Amino acid sequence: MNQIGSITLFHYWNRLRDGRPAPKRSEVEPADIKSLLADTFILEKDTRGEAVFRLAGTRLCAVYGRELKGFSFPSLWREKDQRLVSKLIHGVFDQKSVVLITYEGFSRTDRSSKFELLALPLDGGVENPRCLGVISAAEKPFWLGADPIADALIDSIRVVDPEKEPKFPRNRPAIDVPSLVPSELDPPQTISALGQARRIRHLVVFDGGRGE
């Protein structure tokens, strides 16, 4: 985790949960994270069970050139990564996983910029799972917000057990997935795997996750 937005939101979320798998949605006070609000989002499941934006910050919407509320979260990525992203976010919803994704976003005129995304579970009850997240640009090129991001490819993924890594050390290597295809995360239980490493094809998965 390298971006200040990710680090700040993680520690805020970790304090709120106070040892629980996730804090309640009602416990999140926007005033407490006001410096991050422009880059934060909340996801929910729609009637089809797909992850969609419930809320999205103003800067985040500007980066993508549209209002993101109600928009499909996986569709922000290139088609080959969409199923993987969907599985990861459902791991946040259902297994209370903490997911960190680094990715490269491509604008409509084929400019590119690196981003870091942190997704954190919120307890909304069995019927209303939520995900709190933040997206931070690794750099802020002059065109960002004027030339909308239209496509993205995943660079790396971390699925972390906050009980074992409450300080989220920066020196732990990420999982490099330059050529990962969605089927390589089947069966589904690999999504919530955390902690001790094992290998599925060329993907390293960390065991020790906690289902709920």
Side-chain angles (χ1 to χ4, degrees):
M1 186 180 298
N2 294 309
Q3 302 304 313
I4 189 66
S6 299
I7 295 167
T8 302
L9 189 65
F10 176 79
H11 285 297
Y12 175 71
W13 172 87
N14 208 24
R15 288 195 302 272
L16 282 185
R17 75 184 185 94
D18 193 25
R20 296 169 293 171
K24 293 184 180 298
R25 166 65 183 90
S26 59
E27 293 176 306
V28 177
E29 292 289 346
D32 294 340
I33 51 172
K34 60 183 179 181
S35 65
L36 304 178
L37 289 180
D39 300 312
T40 58
F41 61 87
I42 291 178
L43 304 179
E44 63 181 355
K45 288 184 181 180
D46 67 8
T47 55
R48 300 165 297 171
E50 184 177 1
V52 298
F53 286 93
R54 180 178 177 86
L55 296 170
T58 54
R59 185 158 47 226
L60 191 53
C61 291
V63 164
Y64 284 92
R66 58 180 174 266
E67 172 57 59
L68 292 174
K69 183 176 181 180
F71 198 80
S72 166
F73 181 73
S75 68
L76 296 182
W77 277 265
R78 195 164 295 179
E79 186 174 355
K80 79 182 191 72
D81 284 344
Q82 288 179 10
R83 189 177 172 209
L84 170 59
V85 170
S86 180
K87 284 181 176 288
L88 289 166
I89 292 302
H90 278 82
V92 178
F93 285 148
D94 302 331
Q95 307 298 325
K96 302 297 186 284
S97 302
V98 173
V99 173
L100 184 74
I101 300 173
T102 61
Y103 66 94
E104 187 170 10
F106 300 91
S107 76
R108 293 174 183 171
T109 60
D110 208 30
R111 292 164 166 153
S112 67
S113 184
K114 298 284 189 177
F115 295 87
E116 182 175 271
L117 182 152
L118 177 67
L120 302 159
L122 294 176
D123 183 1
V126 176
E127 299 299 322
N128 296 291
R130 297 281 191 271
C131 167
L132 172 66
V134 62
I135 294 177
S136 306
E139 297 179 352
K140 295 180 174 58
F142 72 92
W143 53 266
L144 196 63
D147 188 5
I149 297 296
D151 193 12
L153 283 173
I154 293 174
D155 288 331
S156 66
I157 299 166
R158 290 180 183 173
V159 183
V160 176
D161 184 345
E163 295 290 349
K164 294 183 178 179
E165 302 190 56
K167 294 183 180 179
F168 215 119
R170 298 186 185 190
N171 59 354
R172 175 163 162 179
I175 303 166
D176 187 22
V177 288
S179 60
L180 188 65
V181 295
S183 61
E184 295 189 65
L185 275 183
D186 292 329
Q189 60 264 29
T190 62
I191 292 299
S192 60
L194 311 169
Q196 186 177 358
R198 58 191 171 94
R199 183 171 292 277
I200 296 177
R201 301 187 190 179
H202 70 276
L203 175 64
V204 177
V205 178
F206 294 94
D207 292 326
R210 173 176 47 202
E212 186 178 27

